[in-house]
Amino acid sequence: MRRYLLLCLCLLALPFHAEAQQVGAAAPDFTLETFDGRKVVLSELKGKEVCILTWASWCPYCKASLPGLQAYYQDAKKAGKTIEVVAVAIRDTPEKARKAYTDHAMPYPAGIESPGFDKLYPAARKTPTWVIVDKAGIVRQIGLGQASRGEIEAMMARAQ
């Protein structure tokens, strides 16, 4: 009987995993407390194309991707595009991530993952991971690995 109850409880828990990010589904909402003291709520960014970047201060592929991301972000903002980048540091210490944020002069919101972020974005547990969300809040692409400016621009084009 106990095994049956345990099995039932496990099966009841399965639908909660369906809320995790999936291409073609609504991006799960989360709040990021940024290193500069703001709060960014994903659902409040509807109407913008969003790139959720998971990164870490110790990740060489993240460091190599940052210049291209920064250049794309700044040029897109100057051109009047309605985009946002939200950089979520994962598996990192707040001190090291904050130092990397400052050292790299990231022009977009960045902070440490909040509790439960890993459950909402399980595919984004490797660094760097790029989750591209369209203006309606739908995940359009999930990419993994180092990316050049051109690759970032191509990923963001999928959100249009």
Side-chain angles (χ1 to χ4, degrees), residues 23-78:
V23 173
D29 198 19
F30 66 93
T31 300
L32 179 72
E33 292 187 29
T34 65
F35 293 126
D36 62 1
R38 295 180 290 150
K39 284 190 179 186
V40 175
V41 180
L42 183 63
S43 60
E44 293 176 1
L45 298 177
K46 278 192 180 171
K48 295 182 178 187
E49 297 158 4
V50 179
C51 172
I52 302 167
L53 169 65
T54 58
W55 65 284
S57 63
W58 47 263
C59 170
Y61 306 108
C62 300
K63 292 175 188 176
S65 298
L66 290 178
L69 177 59
Q70 291 167 357
Y72 169 75
Y73 179 81
Q74 290 170 328
D75 289 347
K77 287 289 193 176
K78 285 178 190 171

Side-chain angles (χ1 to χ4, degrees), residues 115-129:
F117 181 83
D118 60 332
K119 303 285 189 278
L120 296 173
Y121 289 86
R125 298 314 297 163
K126 296 183 178 169
T127 55
T129 297

Side-chain angles (χ1 to χ4, degrees), residues 7-155:
L7 177 62
C8 288
L9 287 174
C10 289
L11 291 174
L12 286 173
L14 287 177
F16 294 107
H17 296 289
E19 294 177 16
Q21 95 292 337
Q22 298 175 23
V23 173
D29 198 19
F30 66 93
T31 300
L32 179 72
E33 292 187 29
T34 65
F35 293 126
D36 62 1
R38 295 180 290 150
K39 284 190 179 186
V40 175
V41 180
L42 183 63
S43 60
E44 293 176 1
L45 298 177
K46 278 192 180 171
K48 295 182 178 187
E49 297 158 4
V50 179
C51 172
I52 302 167
L53 169 65
T54 58
W55 65 284
S57 63
W58 47 263
C59 170
Y61 306 108
C62 300
K63 292 175 188 176
S65 298
L66 290 178
L69 177 59
Q70 291 167 357
Y72 169 75
Y73 179 81
Q74 290 170 328
D75 289 347
K77 287 289 193 176
K78 285 178 190 171
K81 291 188 178 184
T82 55
I83 68 154
E84 192 58 77
V85 171
V86 179
V88 182
I90 64 170
R91 301 187 333 267
D92 210 337
T93 66
E95 298 77 24
K96 289 180 181 178
R98 180 185 303 276
K99 183 173 178 350
Y101 165 77
T102 303
D103 289 351
H104 291 283
M106 295 180 188
Y108 36 77
I112 290 283
E113 68 180 317
S114 59
F117 181 83
D118 60 332
K119 303 285 189 278
L120 296 173
Y121 289 86
R125 298 314 297 163
K126 296 183 178 169
T127 55
T129 297
W130 311 81
V131 179
I132 308 302
V133 180
D134 70 13
K135 291 180 180 183
I138 305 299
V139 175
R140 292 296 167 203
Q141 180 177 359
I142 300 171
L144 175 65
Q146 182 176 328
S148 67
R149 180 198 166 122
E151 290 166 328
I152 294 164
E153 196 165 345
M155 282 190 283

